[in-house]
Amino acid sequence: AQKFSGGIGSKLCGGLKRRASLPPDLLPALDGDVKTLSFLQEVVDILLSYVVESFDRSTKVIDFHYPNELLQRNNWELSDQPETLDEILLSCRATLKYAIKTGTPLPAPQPGPEPQPGSEPHLSPGRFTYEVAPVFVLLEYVTLKKMREIIGWQDGRGDGIFSPGGAISNMYAMLLARFKMFPEVKEKGMCSVPRLAAFTSEHSHFSIKKGAAALGIGTESVICIKADERGKMIPSDLEKRILEAKQKGFVPFFVSATAGTTVYGAFDPLIAIADICKKYNIWMHVDGAWGGSLLMSRKHRWKLNGVERANSMTWNPHKMMAVPLQCSALLVREEGLMQSCNQMHAVYLFQQDKHYDLSYDTGDKALQCGRHVDIFKLWLMWRAKGTIGFEAQIDKCLELSEYLYNKIKDREGYQMVFDGKPQHTNVCFWYLPPGVRYMEDKVERMKRLHKVAPVIKARMMEYGTTMVSYQPQGDKVNFFRMVISNPAATFEDIDFLIEEIERLGQDL
Amino acid sequence: AQKFSGGIGSKLCGGLKRRASLPPDLLPALDGDVKTLSFLQEVVDILLSYVVESFDRSTKVIDFHYPNELLQRNNWELSDQPETLDEILLSCRATLKYAIKTGTPLPAPQPGPEPQPGSEPHLSPGRFTYEVAPVFVLLEYVTLKKMREIIGWQDGRGDGIFSPGGAISNMYAMLLARFKMFPEVKEKGMCSVPRLAAFTSEHSHFSIKKGAAALGIGTESVICIKADERGKMIPSDLEKRILEAKQKGFVPFFVSATAGTTVYGAFDPLIAIADICKKYNIWMHVDGAWGGSLLMSRKHRWKLNGVERANSMTWNPHKMMAVPLQCSALLVREEGLMQSCNQMHAVYLFQQDKHYDLSYDTGDKALQCGRHVDIFKLWLMWRAKGTIGFEAQIDKCLELSEYLYNKIKDREGYQMVFDGKPQHTNVCFWYLPPGVRYMEDKVERMKRLHKVAPVIKARMMEYGTTMVSYQPQGDKVNFFRMVISNPAATFEDIDFLIEEIERLGQDL
């Protein structure tokens, strides 16, 4: 079977037959209700019997197997092709079979929630050790490796973790970069370290500054690099600012390039940035919280060319891959670094005299202690869709946004915020109601235009028909930012959006 | 109706009639299967129709109401008494009615996951603003206020957040303490701040050191205070170490007292610690991740006397209150501080020209951007059980652990790790198999005993019958730590545990 992974993805473009990623009669298909509900009901039935079984004192608390053995007992791998719905049900059963029965009334590791209103009738283990979450530890292992292969790191080597969101993933990256350069900071704190400088584009996500504030680096040490008119970091400005910072006595330690900025959906030029990071020996992080998922698309992954040279990458399946919140991965190229950076060796959690391979006790590399199980939904979706299913979904969203772009770029009353086809699904535009469109006084016109998007959005919310974000950016007054991440949308839905904007905004 | 809250809880001890917190015929009742399953099936039916409804393009994306109006449209309050199961179903319906339909194919805020294998058929909004999560923002508001009332802060005033676990809550507290004393640290970093010192007991959770490492304070700046033989911080040693640190030029800024230590379940003497913090003007944090829930019990809340004097408190409903992972709250006495400490004013998220009261856009005080919805399960459980339901559950767990303690304290072959009745449900003990029990050579005996618990636990896991944690502590060799947090356990289950230990360990 052909592999779909890594930097070689592009070679395979013609090699794989596309097919629908999910049985075509499930929702969002028209009249997909019955099939969808009966499938979901089967899942529910599995969960309900699990609840009852957990409460039966003759049920084992754990069906224990050593890590290597458990890897063999079931096929946990992620592949290009989707599985059938029956196979998905089997995966659910296997997961429950080998997981700890945290609902058992028998003496067992906490937390042991009883099934009851408000508690999800499924598994709720903390995930710091293999013994309390054997299946989920393996699923994380399999999935992170797959994601690293897709980034293009050799044999999927490296490290990683699922964290509570992209902001925290970015903070992890900054923490690792600092530790890599100055390992003494862990014990001695920032007073043992020279003044640091981090670099990111002026269009980057606010979490880079938030992280710097939290880590004791300070927001003033985050130097904002100019972006071009499309929102991409300008590499020559990056180099200039690095040199300036060095001259002022700062030590540049971290560059965060953005793959898919929040507002414009821009992709920073990763190859040029990687060259600069290499030249000055700076940790290169790619914040692909929003745009990282384009790696799953053979058509669009070129936008992240160079990502394989990064030291770390944030990638949020809970955005473009439509996994329910929260599901964010930090991927790290160097093995072992997270562990040395974060481990505290708490003997009451990470006993060294256990009877299985302790490399599966992955908890001590996290900032968290117990962690929410974010992996299962991603893993199960991947099994259900296959890599090509995610690809189809992403390609569809980009196609929809291109449709929107083509529809409005020359349409009367619209103005694009930047020229050219959007690289991600962000379409940024102004709608100018007739009363604003022909105003002579430019200052007054901008003042009026600034108020248009907020009013239209407020009206949308009151009617409840649709919702679109808006914001200003730099010296640009409020504009709409339509972001498409649900592939169930149709061209007609886009048409409807335009009609709504005009219906709700024409009197402004 | 009598209120159950705050420091006055103890006065009400005799005032409220106890009754079962859940319909007594639901699980864990014997033969509770049918009733439980039919109730859960009703919940599932609500969710399934919601899935179908979300996919219908004639469904509104949002049924918008201004915050004050939404507060009025439904009873969202938490009370002492449980609701009926029918009322719980109504609460589920109301939540879905007013929440954003994130599954809609219509243009709407991301994330918009489609219902599919692996996605939970419920709501998945990020929670940074009221407009994307109106109901959950209100539920957080109501619940955090209630928790602050129970701590004993006047009228429930203060601030707080649900964070991804106790370790992160503790890190938030340290971050706030630093910012309170040196607000310039946010912009200028730790180089603008003198050398800081934090204090916590030698039995405290490792997350205090982990937080100090991450925040750039350094683990060496965390000074471990001696604990007494029961595991409680010794206040005189705290004061001594504060003075020492000051003499060495450190600025003491943070004391983390523990309410319910991980291993012994000890409660630090909060009143004495509060006096010292006041004297030296140090931020007092209470890490009640494990023991905080005892505030819900009129019988046991005295163990946290003094907590109302803390500046912040970590309290994890996902532990003793049996809410599924993750559900951790950080409560803060001072209003507005979290906002000033963490806000970055990202204009693309926190527009200031929106049409509703912006104090409900609570996202900018978090380190995260989008957050997992942790509130709903806690809120719904609280409605289903009432405060007295949580109380009954906690009292039951403590009763079970007292039963275990009484059973083994004088039993042949057992030795308690510390004297006296445990304050929490942690029961720490050694089991000495006959072959070890009578060994003369003390050194050899300890060496053998150190290996007993790991082997018994490994055997438990292979049989799958039960699981108990063990660890060493200081100079004490490996001992069992039985922690009871599932009130569905019975005295017979405890008897069974003892039998298992003896069955699996007698040959060692």
Side-chain angles (χ1 to χ4, degrees), chain A residues 148-149 151-157 308 310-311 331-333:
Chain A
R148 291 189 302 259
E149 282 171 10
I151 290 176
W153 290 336
Q154 206 179 355
D155 303 325
R157 278 205 295 265
E308 70 285 354
N311 299 93
L331 291 316
V332 181
R333 200 168 58 192

Side-chain angles (χ1 to χ4, degrees), chain B residues 279-330:
Chain B
K279 183 169 171 188
Y280 296 99
N281 190 29
I282 303 175
W283 182 285
M284 175 179 172
H285 174 63
V286 174
D287 175 5
W290 172 224
S293 301
L294 266 58
L295 288 175
M296 307 290 275
S297 161
R298 284 163 289 182
K299 189 169 168 192
H300 296 286
R301 64 168 287 140
W302 63 270
K303 295 166 187 173
L304 289 103
N305 279 351
V307 67
E308 69 285 354
R309 293 175 61 189
N311 298 92
S312 57
M313 178 188 183
T314 294
W315 175 352
N316 288 7
H318 74 220
K319 292 182 186 279
M320 200 63 185
M321 284 158 73
V323 178
L325 259 184
Q326 63 193 32
C327 189
S328 169
L330 177 76

Side-chain angles (χ1 to χ4, degrees), chain B residues 187-202:
Chain B
E187 283 84 30
K188 304 205 174 295
M190 286 292 285
C191 62
S192 69
V193 166
R195 288 173 69 195
L196 302 178
F199 303 83
T200 193
S201 106
E202 54 184 341

Side-chain angles (χ1 to χ4, degrees), chain A residues 469-484:
Chain A
S469 297
Y470 70 85
Q471 69 285 297
Q473 167 97 23
D475 56 359
K476 296 186 166 70
V477 301
N478 279 325
F479 54 85
F480 283 117
R481 165 176 50 114
M482 184 58 214
V483 170
I484 295 163

